[in-house]
Amino acid sequence: MDIGKTGKILLADIGGTNARFALSLSDQTGPIDIDYVKVADFPTVREAIADVLARRSGGEQPTRAVLAVAGPVTNNRCVMTNSPWVIDGNELQPALGFDRVHVLNDFEVVAWSLPALQPADLVPLGGGDGLPGEPLLVVGPGTGFGVSCLIERHGSRLAVVTEAGHATLPAENEREERVIACLRRRLGHVSIERGALSGSGLQNLYEALAEIDRVQVPHRDAAAITKSALEGSCPVSRATLEMFCAILGSVTGNLAVTFGARGGVYVAGGIVPRFREFLAASAFRARFEAKGRFQDYLRNIPTRLVIKPDASFVGLKMFADHTSD
């Protein structure tokens, strides 16, 4: 028996370990119920989606699917880095009976969420009010360093996806130059992501600071470094977190100037919300603005920390609504 199609949309946020799915009505404005799935439980994304639809659709086939994936997307297709799944929208569309399937990079989806985020979803980190209609930038230290920019022109929106995390890490002072020199000996090219602004980057910073200061420290991962920094139990961990925040400010300011992000700059990702008070009291904002003759330009740009845990689903719905015609 054919399943009747409805105005429902399948939304998904797919990572290497877990995938989250939700069914939303095209005109739904309230919260949605999210279904959590372990990637290892299904050989393919097609089987995972079929299982979710069998359990949750009530026999009503969604017309469209919008899927956010943690990886690069080319021609509506993503080969996942940390799982065996291949997310191919052009194959899923006929196989599962959708009219359309969109596959988007996960940070592209976060960029789509920005206009819909509410004050309760954000922690202000300085700056003015931003200019309406101007580009919105989002950066995110996590497993990697994500960057995307939402641009609106003549009623149309476009989220620019970048690989900015793989650009070269800049130094703002002699101590940072010494850290980068240390990392260069270990890594060769020192990118923004590997050198500082990610989980592994935070660990690399910690080890480099210990080396240049000739201090013996225990092995710590990013979570342990953050914990000991906030507790004040390890001076090297605290110096690491301070440098992380300062570098985040410099890099984010560079990106704000690059994209002309006068609408506002947002910090997302899995790391920074764990130490929001520390970030607010750090050199982040001062370093964001420290761009010489362009300091006044940057002073007016607001910076905000995204603390909404399901912002990706806001972005998925925003994209679905914008592309409904």
Side-chain angles (χ1 to χ4, degrees):
M1 183 175 65
D2 291 338
I3 296 177
K5 290 191 176 182
T6 68
K8 286 184 178 178
I9 306 165
L10 177 71
L11 308 176
D13 183 6
I14 301 170
T17 304
N18 298 297
R20 301 184 295 163
F21 296 91
L23 289 168
S24 174
L25 293 171
S26 56
D27 59 353
Q28 185 170 341
T29 57
I32 55 178
D33 190 18
I34 298 172
D35 198 317
Y36 292 78
V37 169
K38 288 190 177 299
V39 169
D41 289 346
F42 297 92
T44 67
V45 68
R46 176 179 171 179
E47 290 169 272
I49 293 174
D51 177 75
V52 170
L53 293 180
R55 290 186 290 105
R56 301 292 298 276
S57 69
E60 298 178 340
Q61 169 72 17
T63 55
R64 292 188 293 150
V66 185
L67 315 177
V69 295
V73 177
T74 304
N75 297 325
N76 211 32
R77 184 177 187 268
C78 176
V79 178
M80 299 290 289
T81 304
N82 298 313
S83 88
W85 284 7
V86 176
I87 320 296
D88 191 324
N90 298 329
E91 290 183 1
L92 291 172
Q93 180 179 329
L96 291 170
F98 294 109
D99 292 342
R100 280 180 289 171
V101 176
H102 300 276
V103 181
L104 309 178
N105 170 265
D106 55 350
F107 244 75
E108 179 182 2
V109 167
V110 177
W112 274 98
S113 77
L114 301 180
L117 296 180
Q118 302 301 308
D121 304 327
L122 305 166
V123 174
L125 296 171
D129 295 326
L131 299 178
E134 291 299 302
L136 304 174
L137 176 72
V138 60
V139 305
T143 303
F145 183 69
V147 177
S148 185
C149 186
L150 188 70
I151 299 170
E152 184 170 353
R153 291 292 183 270
H154 310 296
S156 181
R157 285 177 178 159
L158 170 69
V160 180
V161 184
T162 83
E163 293 295 343
H166 301 290
T168 303
L169 177 65
E172 293 283 330
N173 53 50
E174 183 178 348
R175 185 162 173 80
E176 289 174 7
E177 287 172 356
R178 292 180 65 197
V179 166
I180 291 172
C182 176
L183 292 174
R184 192 179 296 119
R185 291 192 293 270
R186 299 185 190 182
L187 305 174
H189 178 247
V190 183
S191 68
I192 292 168
E193 179 175 296
R194 291 187 75 196
L197 301 184
S198 66
S200 62
L202 190 65
Q203 187 173 333
N204 284 331
L205 270 186
Y206 169 78
E207 292 170 357
L209 281 168
E211 181 176 328
I212 66 174
D213 289 343
R214 300 181 181 180
V215 177
Q216 294 291 325
V217 292
H219 173 79
R220 288 186 169 103
D221 61 12
I225 293 165
T226 301
K227 182 174 185 290
S228 56
L230 298 178
E231 291 174 347
S233 59
C234 171
V236 175
S237 293
R238 184 148 187 112
T240 299
L241 202 60
E242 288 171 350
M243 184 172 285
F244 176 96
C245 292
I247 290 174
L248 179 61
S250 290
V251 168
T252 304
N254 288 345
L255 291 165
V257 170
T258 300
F259 284 100
R262 293 185 294 173
V265 172
Y266 298 77
V267 181
I271 293 179
V272 182
R274 301 174 186 176
F275 50 87
R276 63 187 75 170
E277 293 87 2
F278 189 98
L279 178 69
S282 74
F284 167 82
R285 182 69 201 192
R287 290 277 292 264
F288 176 84
E289 295 181 8
K291 295 290 180 272
R293 292 176 297 165
F294 256 59
Q295 186 163 337
D296 288 342
Y297 179 97
L298 284 153
R299 186 177 291 123
N300 292 320
I301 296 176
T303 47
R304 304 179 177 106
L305 175 63
V306 179
I307 57 173
K308 186 176 179 62
D310 58 350
S312 58
F313 281 91
V314 176
L316 288 163
K317 187 63 167 57
M318 288 286 287
F319 177 87
D321 292 346
H322 196 73
T323 57
S324 60
D325 295 334

